[in-house]
Amino acid sequence: MRLPSGFRDRVATRTMQDRLVWQAASLLLAYPDGQLPGRLDTVDELLSHISGPAAELLERTALALRAREPMAAATDYVATFDMRRRATMYLTYWTAGDTRNRGREMLEFATAYRKAGVEPPRHEAPDHLPVVLEFAATVDPEVGRRLLTEHRVPIDVLRGALADADSPYEPTVAAVCATLPVATDQEVRRAQRLAKAGPPAESVGLQPFQLTVPPRKGTPRV
């Protein structure tokens, strides 16, 4: 069946809007190093092309980051994402936890990137949310949307943790959630259970797969 041109145009417009949101979110959720001012300038340019509630959500994070001293922003980022496991941006941590299955699940991300014609990043895990968002925005929006949708529950857990911490990063994750299909009741209940009980654990006798947080310059490794 041939879709009406107006419908195709609306789908294309929605896809482009989502890609702009994903790109802005990837930049805002990156570690606030010396390149942060340039990234925020890029976000401002992207926001001029984003409409609706997503623009306001992303702008809230951007304004909060601009208002912070660089050292304070870096310290807050580490305290938020590296020191609180509930707020980790490593998506497979919530689907596989400290188990050997996590390596296999991360490989699925890397394989998806390679099939799309790009190599996984060398200095970050392939399931790191900013990496997935960058891929969805700039390489393959269809595959990227699938990866994000399949990990909607971990993203919802992250958003809830950031909301509880009154983090300036919460609006950006909320903007990402708004680009994905509405969570089902089952997904909502699963996110609630994970937030309360934590991720899966390896069975007795197996070497656990440890959550690895890349070291930040000038900060201790978790």
Side-chain angles (χ1 to χ4, degrees):
M1 181 180 70
R2 184 177 179 82
L3 296 175
S5 60
F7 179 81
R8 293 198 304 270
D9 291 344
R10 288 194 296 273
V11 171
T13 300
R14 174 60 189 272
T15 298
M16 180 53 67
Q17 281 286 299
D18 289 348
R19 293 178 74 173
L20 293 171
V21 170
W22 295 335
Q23 180 66 89
S26 177
L27 295 170
L28 290 170
L29 293 174
Y31 178 71
D33 55 18
Q35 304 303 313
L36 177 61
R39 289 200 298 270
L40 291 176
D41 289 342
T42 301
V43 169
D44 287 344
E45 175 62 24
L46 292 169
L47 287 175
S48 68
H49 301 284
I50 298 173
S51 60
E56 189 271 336
L57 290 168
L58 294 166
E59 186 176 25
R60 283 167 57 188
T61 300
L63 290 174
L65 291 177
R66 282 197 185 277
R68 295 201 169 185
E69 293 293 330
M71 183 61 71
T75 300
D76 177 65
Y77 186 95
V78 172
T80 299
F81 297 113
D82 293 358
M83 301 299 184
R84 294 189 183 103
R85 290 197 170 195
R86 226 186 114 211
T88 180
M89 288 196 284
Y90 294 93
L91 300 181
T92 63
Y93 179 67
W94 286 105
T95 56
D98 281 334
T99 75
R100 57 185 176 181
N101 290 333
R102 188 169 169 230
R104 183 183 64 217
E105 292 193 13
M106 284 197 291
L107 180 60
E108 292 176 1
F109 279 86
T111 299
Y113 298 159
R114 292 191 176 99
K115 285 184 176 180
V118 296
E119 284 297 312
R122 294 184 177 182
H123 303 295
E124 188 55 272
D127 66 327
H128 196 233
L129 180 57
V131 172
V132 185
L133 291 168
E134 178 81 13
F135 170 80
T138 64
V139 179
D140 193 323
E142 182 177 345
V143 174
R145 187 188 299 278
R146 174 177 62 79
L147 292 171
L148 291 167
T149 301
E150 288 175 351
H151 293 81
R152 172 63 190 259
V153 170
I155 296 172
D156 278 337
V157 173
L158 169 63
R159 188 200 58 75
L162 295 175
D164 290 345
D166 196 24
S167 169
Y169 293 103
E170 188 274 337
T172 288
V173 178
V176 171
C177 289
T179 67
L180 306 177
V182 176
T184 64
D185 290 343
Q186 182 180 9
E187 288 173 330
V188 170
R189 289 193 296 270
R190 185 180 170 212
Q192 291 171 341
R193 288 196 302 269
L194 280 175
K196 182 178 180 179
E202 188 65 280
S203 55
V204 176
L206 296 177
Q207 184 65 30
F209 188 100
Q210 297 296 328
L211 173 65
T212 300
V213 178
R216 310 293 183 188
K217 184 176 181 181
T219 61
R221 188 184 184 90
V222 175

